[in-house]
Amino acid sequence: MTHQLWGGRFATPPAEALDKLNRSLPVDHRLWQEDLRVAGAWVKALTQAGVLSSSEAEQLQGGLAKVASRLPALPLSDLPDEDIHTLVERLLYEEVGAVAGKLNTGRSRNDQVATDLRLWTMGALHAVDAEVVALGKALVAQAETGLDLILPGYTHMQRAQPVRWAYIMTAHAWPLTRDRDRLRDALRRTSEMPLGVAALAGSGIAVDRELLRKELGFERIAPNGLDTTGDRDFVAEALFALALMATHVSRLAGELVVYTSSEYGFVKLDDAWATGSSLLPQKKNPDVFELARAKAAVVLGDLVTLMGTLKGLPAGYSKDLQEDKAALFHAVDTILLVLPAVRGAIETMKPVPQRMAAALDPALFATDIADALVAQGVPFREAHGLTGKLVRAAEQAGVAIPDVNEAVARGIHEALPGILQALGTFADSVERRGTVGGSGKASVMAQSAELRTLLG
């Protein structure tokens, strides 16, 4: 007969279709290590409360150790047990016999699964954070090696002003630091222990919850059993942090898809991080970035799934919450798949200075010209309009802005001929934006240094 944690009041076993719907082991088997940690801590608490003798506690701890050694070799998804808690108890019975029935004294699957999942989430957030750091450092390394490369900066995907390649790389590293802040914040609220509240109203056994907290490494004890057994805010927060992180990576990926295209050619991907075409032999496709871009939608879907599940649930545990793990596991798996791949592509990609320089258009000096007019005492709105007239004059004459006929330029404003002669290089233009947070060399170097500090 299949081992169950319930059933005494039922005359018949669950219908096959219900059993399939109700069974969560194919998903929650991933919590086996956490479930054993929680079980071990609970044995200590029951022993202190006088429920278990020292001999029984020793038997149970030894049995849990044997279960831990067996579980990795088992086909967990294919076993008939209802969930990971049922499986652990069944195996524990096989190892130590009837004393296994004392393990769940005073606790419920409700506080047990909430505790397991919080522990798993804490570990997952640490793992994701490590990959965020690695990607951020890869971007900073690209910034530092490409500090003196100048290319167009874009708004609306139109060339706007010259900037440093390093400036673009740091622009994509800064969101990752905010992602780390969100991960840390989510971790802080996840680190609250439900164990010891049983199904909802508190344990009937006088267990020491502070002992349990210390044993399991939580920062705080959940203050209300009805709340904590149904609380999945921590899952929602983790999923939001992951979804926004995936969006940041998608934006980076989308920009690099453009830059690696034949039309731009600002960057070349290493062969190990590109793919080919089944028909077109010449193709070198940035699939790593295209897939990263698509995966953002997948993680967002996981967040929406959970939020839709939580909406309208009463306080306490409802079986709807069984679906929380699938969304969380999938999002974490997706992020941990994407981040190393994007990092590898970033670490090995090579900027193409010649293509970057070739894309620099003298029209990018337009803002410099307007700023120079302002320095001559012209109000900015008027300077903007005058520069626009100069741009139009260059277009009509079919020449670059600095090559506009001197008389034509003087006819627009008397200071323009001198301003055009003093424009200098594109690098000079970049250095004119030397404010904190700007694209000047000193500013970008300071940003790189600060990013390295923030990324640990």
Side-chain angles (χ1 to χ4, degrees), residues 92-391:
L92 187 60
Y93 265 101
E94 291 177 8
E95 295 296 339
V96 299
V99 72
K102 292 192 172 186
L103 175 62
N104 280 315
T105 305
R107 71 171 181 170
S108 163
R109 281 189 297 185
N110 295 358
D111 62 340
Q112 192 176 343
V113 70
T115 305
D116 289 0
L117 190 57
R118 283 178 182 267
L119 287 172
W120 189 93
T121 303
M122 289 159 65
L125 293 177
H126 282 299
V128 171
D129 182 65
E131 290 296 339
V132 173
V133 168
L135 176 57
K137 287 181 176 179
L139 288 166
V140 173
Q142 277 284 351
E144 290 171 347
T145 57
L147 182 62
D148 293 321
L149 299 179
I150 309 294
L151 74 163
Y154 293 81
T155 63
H156 305 273
M157 286 312 296
Q158 304 294 313
R159 283 177 285 192
Q161 290 179 279
V163 296
R164 295 180 181 278
W165 173 242
Y167 192 57
I168 295 173
M169 292 291 94
T170 54
H172 286 289
W174 283 112
L176 300 180
T177 67
R178 300 192 292 273
D179 290 327
R180 293 198 74 201
D181 286 342
R182 275 180 284 273
L183 290 174
R184 283 190 290 263
D185 201 38
L187 181 62
R188 178 176 62 83
R189 275 188 286 274
T190 302
S191 190
E192 183 172 283
M193 187 193 70
L195 192 61
V197 302
L200 77 161
S203 178
I205 305 299
V207 291
D208 184 348
R209 295 189 72 205
E210 179 61 19
L211 178 152
L212 291 167
R213 182 196 69 78
K214 291 179 180 177
E215 189 71 23
L216 294 171
F218 285 97
E219 291 183 12
R220 297 170 307 285
I221 296 171
N224 183 287
L226 186 61
D227 170 50
T228 193
T229 52
D231 172 24
R232 294 300 184 271
D233 288 5
F234 70 98
V235 181
E237 285 193 67
L239 285 172
F240 174 74
L242 296 177
L244 188 52
M245 178 191 307
T247 301
H248 292 150
V249 176
S250 176
R251 295 184 68 189
L252 165 65
E255 190 157 352
L256 290 171
V257 166
V258 172
Y259 289 168
T260 57
S261 68
S262 301
E263 284 70 20
Y264 282 73
F266 293 167
V267 178
K268 284 187 176 180
L269 284 177
D270 187 271
D271 283 355
W273 296 100
T275 57
S277 165
S278 61
L279 177 65
L280 309 168
Q282 82 281 11
K283 293 290 295 298
K284 186 175 183 179
N285 296 328
D287 285 6
V288 60
F289 296 135
E290 292 173 358
L291 289 168
R293 191 169 56 185
K295 291 296 187 183
V298 172
V299 179
L300 176 60
D302 292 323
L303 171 61
V304 173
T305 294
L306 180 79
M307 297 303 290
T309 301
L310 297 180
K311 179 187 65 65
L313 293 185
Y317 185 82
S318 300
K319 200 57 177 278
D320 310 52
L321 296 176
Q322 183 166 291
E323 297 303 308
D324 58 358
K325 290 169 284 298
L328 179 62
F329 293 168
H330 187 249
V332 171
D333 290 348
T334 301
I335 285 290
L336 291 178
L337 185 69
V338 167
L339 291 178
V342 172
R343 168 172 49 87
I346 296 291
E347 287 174 338
T348 56
M349 69 183 186
K350 300 295 183 185
V352 185
Q354 300 87 347
R355 293 296 294 266
M356 292 180 175
L360 292 167
D361 186 326
L364 299 174
F365 285 120
T367 306
D368 298 77
I369 294 168
D371 288 343
L373 286 169
V374 169
Q376 297 280 342
V378 180
F380 176 75
R381 191 51 58 207
E382 182 181 341
H384 187 286
L386 293 170
T387 305
K389 290 179 181 179
L390 181 68
V391 171

Side-chain angles (χ1 to χ4, degrees), residues 432-454:
R432 284 192 278 268
R433 275 125 192 104
T435 52
V436 173
S439 56
K441 190 171 187 176
S443 170
V444 175
M445 290 175 67
Q447 290 180 52
S448 294
E450 186 176 357
L451 283 165
R452 284 211 173 273
T453 298
L454 292 173

